[in-house]
Structure formats: C-alpha cells, structure tokens
C-alpha cells in the first residue's frame, strides 16, 4: 500500500495476478484507509481466481488452435476447409 502521487489521504494497493512465477496482471485498489487483514486476504483470493480464469482462457485458446491447425505444417485442417 502506498500513496505516491495520489491526493492526500488516498492509498493505493496493487495485488499481482500470479501464475506460478509469472505475473499476468495487477489488481489495483484505491482506498481512503489501510486495508484490513481480512480485506487483503479476500483480495488475494480474488486475484487467484482471476489468474486461474486467465490461465483457463489461454488453455482453451491453445486447444482451439491445436484442433484447427496441423501441428507440423500449421495449415488449417479439414474442418476449416469446408
């Protein structure tokens, strides 16, 4: 939590969206007071759920790509030609 460059009395918390060691993004929260422990814990659980959703969307996109194109030639498969 920091207040660099924000109006007086405004705090800003940045919670990373993590996938293993990779940072997928950041959840930013502006608040007028320091976050309580249970609020930080809730935000941490929220960021974990968001990161999982991002991972699942990426996996689904990769699966669609693998199902639509030949792995060796990268040409569209038969279903895309009809």
């Amino acid at each position: 939590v920091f207040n660099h460059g924000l109006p007086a009395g405004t705090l800003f918390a940045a919670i990373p969206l993590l996938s293993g060691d990779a940072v997928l993004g950041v959840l930013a929260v502006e608040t007028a007071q320091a976050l309580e422990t249970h609020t930080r814990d809730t935000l941490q659980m929220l960021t974990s759920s968001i990161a999982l959703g991002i991972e699942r969307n990426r996996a689904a996109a990769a699966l669609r790509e693998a199902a639509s194109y030949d792995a060796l030639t990268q040409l569209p498969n038969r279903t895309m030609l009809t």
Side-chain angles (χ1 to χ4, degrees):
V1 177
F2 63 94
N3 64 356
H4 179 72
L6 296 173
T10 302
L11 300 174
F12 176 82
I15 302 101
L17 303 172
L18 299 173
S19 174
D21 292 337
V23 177
L24 303 177
V26 175
L27 176 67
V29 178
E30 184 180 323
T31 179
Q33 59 190 14
L35 299 176
E36 296 180 14
T37 302
H38 71 276
T39 303
R40 287 194 308 266
D41 292 344
T42 301
L43 289 173
Q44 187 62 50
M45 288 189 321
L46 179 62
T47 58
S48 295
S49 295
I50 293 170
L52 181 61
I54 292 170
E55 289 173 346
R56 290 184 74 163
N57 279 344
R58 288 181 178 177
L63 188 57
R64 282 190 300 275
E65 178 81 14
S68 300
Y69 293 90
D70 181 79
L72 180 62
T73 64
Q74 297 301 314
L75 292 172
N77 66 20
R78 288 181 286 170
T79 59
M80 296 209 33
L81 298 176
T82 58

